[in-house]
């Protein structure tokens, strides 16, 4: 079975102009515009063999043509083997002489379709993807146990429930931009895919369920609205500091849920995502500084390289809700004891010291992360070092020199779980080239951040 994730498909509405009978046939042998490998080949073949759909007299299927409400009724009635004999209908605009009258009336009596308030069916009107969702949900009696979201389907709208039922049953996953486009006219090809998925489970494809972000409201009081805009009614007021689940954004508005609240809020007033790092205090220690430049080689100075990476790391951590304490954010030099004291006085949850290496020859290369086995938090420090190392050497594509015990004062005398990262060797041309690059410094900072996040996620 081919899975076509780029097509968020509606009903398949096909006018039965001629029928294929007899043994099973391949769609591409009878429909000239559905060649082998066409995106809807398997679904059309399935429906042709079940005598639910067919093509036009000229041997085409015309998958991009729009579907009318008349055609939709024919397809759904044939899918359920309903009586298609022409007869009087319940709709003033569908005469008994209409070739689809029997199908329309049977589908209406089965509860699959309904008309408009003035007893009309409007059989020549094109069907939208939203209307198709109503038709399929009713006809196949789909239910929903989960909530799936599309950024253009308001959960308060009349379409949401039926579209969600299709998503729950593997009939639609939406377009790649996470829209469903309920007002778009459905095509014959789309209708074929949706109908075949409804009939045959092997054609189904499940939408990935939205994993909401945890956010904290950062406005004194904020209107929760029933749609993405100030023109929508208020669903209540939510106060600053409330923890909410944010499911998706449409424009500048975010759809959120919290106990007692559900609706859209202006996204500017959502705080940074709450994660395993939220509320943590982490000391970032760029090594050396001032009159202590650290290692120098290949035109690089350690104190400058590590300060650059340290500042970038601070940005990543702060975005994740961390309070970052820098031992230095300029070319100053706190003593080694002062660095330890900064971490302990700030009640930091962890301590990250950043360095770069040097050797007397250019042969030494690679990345390593140290912890001190005998420090008060040695066991936790080793775990933290391991998570960071596993991320870092891969991200900057350096040799993995591993996680090691080290007798460095800033991690040995620290009551905070502390690690010392050696990014690479300034004395090695390849390592130095990477550490000179702003792009690689960014990668290094992100990798250290992700390693820290891994540690707290698994703590």
């Amino acid at each position: 079975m081919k899975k076509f994730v780029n097509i968020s498909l509606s009903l398949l509405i096909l006018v039965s102009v001629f029928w294929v009978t007899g043994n099973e046939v391949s769609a591409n042998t009878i429909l000239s515009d559905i060649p082998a490998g066409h995106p809807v080949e398997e679904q059309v073949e399935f429906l042709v063999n079940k005598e639910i759909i067919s093509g036009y007299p000229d041997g085409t299927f015309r998958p991009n043509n729009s579907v009318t409400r008349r055609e939709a009724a024919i397809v759904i009635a044939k899918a359920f083997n309903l009586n298609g004999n022409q007869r009087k209908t319940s709709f003033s605009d569908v005469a008994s002489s209409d070739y689809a009258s029997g199908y329309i009336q049977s589908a209406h009596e089965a509860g699959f379709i309904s008309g408009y308030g003035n007893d009309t069916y409007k059989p020549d009107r094109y069907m939208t993807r939203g209307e198709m969702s109503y038709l399929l949900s009713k006809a196949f009696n789909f239910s929903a146990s989960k909530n799936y979201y599309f950024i253009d389907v308001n959960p308060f709208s009349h379409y949401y429930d039926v579209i969600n039922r299709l998503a729950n049953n593997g009939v639609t996953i939406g377009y790649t931009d996470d829209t469903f486009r309920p007002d778009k006219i459905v095509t014959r090809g789309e209708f074929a895919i949706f109908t075949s998925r409804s009939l045959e489970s092997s054609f189904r494809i499940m939408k990935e369920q939205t994993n909401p972000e945890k956010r904290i409201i950062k406005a004194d009081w904020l209107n929760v609205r029933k749609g993405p805009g100030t023109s929508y009614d208020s669903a209540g007021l939510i106060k600053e500091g409330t923890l909410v689940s944010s499911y998706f954004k449409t424009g500048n508005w975010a759809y959120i849920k919290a106990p007692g609240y559900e609706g859209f809020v202006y996204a500017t007033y959502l705080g940074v995502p709450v994660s395993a790092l939220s509320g943590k205090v982490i000391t970032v220690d760029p090594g050396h500084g001032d009159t202590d430049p650290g290692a120098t080689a290949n035109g690089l100075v350690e104190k400058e390289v590590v300060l650059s990476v340290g500042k970038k790391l601070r940005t990543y951590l702060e975005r994740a809700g961390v309070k970052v304490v820098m031992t230095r954010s300029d070319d100053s030099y706190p003593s080694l004891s002062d660095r330890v004291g900064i971490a302990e006085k700030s009640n930091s949850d962890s301590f990250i010291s950043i360095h770069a290496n040097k050797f007397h020859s250019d042969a030494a290369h690679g990345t390593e992360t140290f912890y001190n086995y005998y420090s008060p938090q040695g066991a936790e420090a080793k775990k933290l070092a391991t998570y960071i190392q596993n991320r870092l050497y891969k991200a900057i594509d350096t040799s993995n020199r591993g996680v090691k015990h080290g007798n460095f004062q800033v991690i040995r005398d620290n009551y905070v779980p502390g690690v010392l990262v050696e990014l690479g060797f300034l004395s090695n041309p390849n390592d130095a080239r990477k550490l000179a690059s702003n792009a690689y410094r960014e990668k290094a900072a992100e990798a250290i951040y992700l390693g820290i996040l891994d540690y707290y996620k698994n703590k």
Side-chain angles (χ1 to χ4, degrees), residues 297-409:
N298 286 305
L300 297 176
V301 180
E302 181 180 0
K303 68 174 184 177
E304 296 170 356
V305 172
V306 299
L307 180 59
S308 172
V309 174
K311 287 181 174 180
K312 294 177 187 296
L313 174 59
R314 175 178 61 187
T315 299
Y316 279 104
L317 291 170
E318 287 180 341
R319 287 175 182 168
V322 174
K323 178 183 177 182
V324 178
V325 179
M326 300 289 289
T327 59
R328 70 180 183 95
S329 54
D330 53 24
D331 192 30
S332 59
Y333 178 79
S335 69
L336 300 181
S337 296
D338 285 343
R339 295 172 198 249
V340 173
I342 288 170
E344 293 178 350
K345 289 175 183 177
S346 62
N347 293 315
S348 287
D349 294 285
S350 54
F351 175 92
I352 314 296
S353 191
I354 307 172
H355 290 258
N357 230 325
K358 182 180 179 178
F359 196 60
H360 59 78
S361 79
D362 63 7
H365 60 97
T367 299
E368 53 196 346
T369 305
F370 292 91
Y371 71 100
N372 185 274
Y373 180 81
Y374 300 104
S375 68
Q377 296 284 344
E380 289 301 313
K382 182 178 181 180
K383 294 176 185 176
L384 177 59
T386 301
Y387 282 115
I388 291 174
Q389 177 68 16
N390 286 343
R391 287 279 191 174
L392 183 56
Y393 81 89
K394 296 174 185 175
I396 60 176
D397 192 24
T398 52
S399 175
N400 179 15
R401 294 174 63 92
V403 173
K404 302 174 180 178
H405 163 74
N407 193 32
F408 302 103
Q409 184 177 344

Side-chain angles (χ1 to χ4, degrees), residues 166-211:
L166 296 190
N168 265 265
N169 290 276
V171 179
T172 184
I173 60 170
Y175 290 90
T176 53
D177 62 358
D178 214 20
T179 61
F180 182 77
R181 308 177 196 178
D183 296 323
K184 177 180 176 291
I185 300 299
V186 69
T187 67
R188 287 165 57 88
E190 289 177 335
F191 199 63
I193 290 181
F194 274 97
T195 302
S196 61
R197 287 178 179 170
S198 298
L199 286 166
E200 172 53 52
S201 61
S202 65
F203 285 119
R204 295 180 183 178
I205 180 169
M206 293 306 300
K207 177 177 172 62
E208 183 177 347
Q209 194 168 17
T210 303
N211 185 23

Side-chain angles (χ1 to χ4, degrees), residues 2 13 51 57 97 138-139 166 199 201 255 257 302 364 410:
K2 298 181 179 71
I13 314 225
E51 298 189 351
S97 59
K138 287 182 178 179
L166 296 190
L199 286 166
S201 61
Y255 174 72
K257 285 184 179 182
E302 181 180 0
V410 291

Side-chain angles (χ1 to χ4, degrees), residues 21-303:
T21 59
N23 295 328
E24 288 194 358
V25 295
S26 174
N28 58 71
T29 65
I30 60 169
L31 301 170
S32 60
D33 55 351
I34 306 293
H38 191 281
V40 299
E41 177 199 358
E42 292 186 14
Q43 288 83 352
V44 169
E45 180 178 327
F46 170 79
L47 295 169
V48 165
N49 284 321
K50 284 188 169 293
E51 298 189 351
I52 294 173
I53 66 169
S54 61
Y56 290 91
D58 64 357
T60 62
F61 179 70
R62 306 177 198 176
N64 296 322
N65 279 16
S66 300
V67 171
T68 66
R69 289 167 57 82
R70 175 187 286 108
E71 293 169 337
I74 292 173
V75 170
I76 207 67
K78 288 185 177 293
F80 284 89
N81 296 312
L82 301 182
N83 179 11
N85 294 334
Q86 291 176 243
R87 61 188 187 279
K88 179 177 174 59
T89 74
S90 302
F91 305 107
S92 61
D93 57 350
V94 181
S96 59
S97 59
D98 190 310
Y99 71 89
S101 61
Y103 296 114
I104 291 173
Q105 184 61 22
S106 292
H108 175 60
E109 291 170 355
F112 299 163
I113 63 174
S114 57
Y116 295 87
N118 56 359
D119 292 330
T120 61
Y121 180 68
K122 301 182 181 179
D124 295 315
R125 174 176 286 187
Y126 290 129
M127 177 169 277
T128 66
R129 290 166 55 85
E131 291 172 331
M132 174 212 63
S133 301
Y134 271 107
L135 176 59
L136 291 181
S137 293
K138 287 182 178 179
F140 291 93
N141 195 28
F142 288 137
S143 61
S145 60
K146 300 177 181 178
N147 289 323
Y148 291 92
Y149 298 103
F150 301 90
I151 64 174
D152 61 342
V153 181
N154 186 337
F156 293 96
S157 72
H158 61 96
Y159 279 143
Y160 175 76
D161 181 57
V162 291
I163 293 172
N164 185 48
R165 291 183 191 182
L166 296 190
N168 265 265
N169 290 276
V171 179
T172 184
I173 60 170
Y175 290 90
T176 53
D177 62 358
D178 214 20
T179 61
F180 182 77
R181 308 177 196 178
D183 296 323
K184 177 180 176 291
I185 300 299
V186 69
T187 67
R188 287 165 57 88
E190 289 177 335
F191 199 63
I193 290 181
F194 274 97
T195 302
S196 61
R197 287 178 179 170
S198 298
L199 286 166
E200 172 53 52
S201 61
S202 65
F203 285 119
R204 295 180 183 178
I205 180 169
M206 293 306 300
K207 177 177 172 62
E208 183 177 347
Q209 194 168 17
T210 303
N211 185 23
E213 289 185 332
K214 296 295 184 182
R215 299 289 192 105
I216 295 177
I217 298 296
K218 60 176 184 178
D220 289 343
W221 288 97
L222 186 63
N223 260 309
V224 181
R225 297 192 177 273
K226 292 186 176 181
T230 55
S231 61
Y232 289 89
D233 291 340
S234 174
L237 287 171
I238 195 167
K239 66 180 180 179
E240 183 177 16
T242 303
L243 179 66
V244 302
S245 297
S246 177
Y247 286 85
F248 65 89
K249 283 183 64 178
T250 175
N252 294 321
W253 293 80
Y255 174 72
I256 62 98
K257 285 184 179 182
Y261 299 95
E262 177 183 358
F264 292 84
V265 297
Y266 198 62
T268 300
Y269 298 107
L270 290 178
V272 297
V274 176
S275 72
L277 292 174
S278 297
K280 300 294 182 187
V281 181
I282 295 178
T283 295
V284 175
D285 173 41
H288 307 283
D290 195 19
T291 57
D292 175 17
T296 57
N298 286 305
L300 297 176
V301 180
E302 181 180 0
K303 68 174 184 177

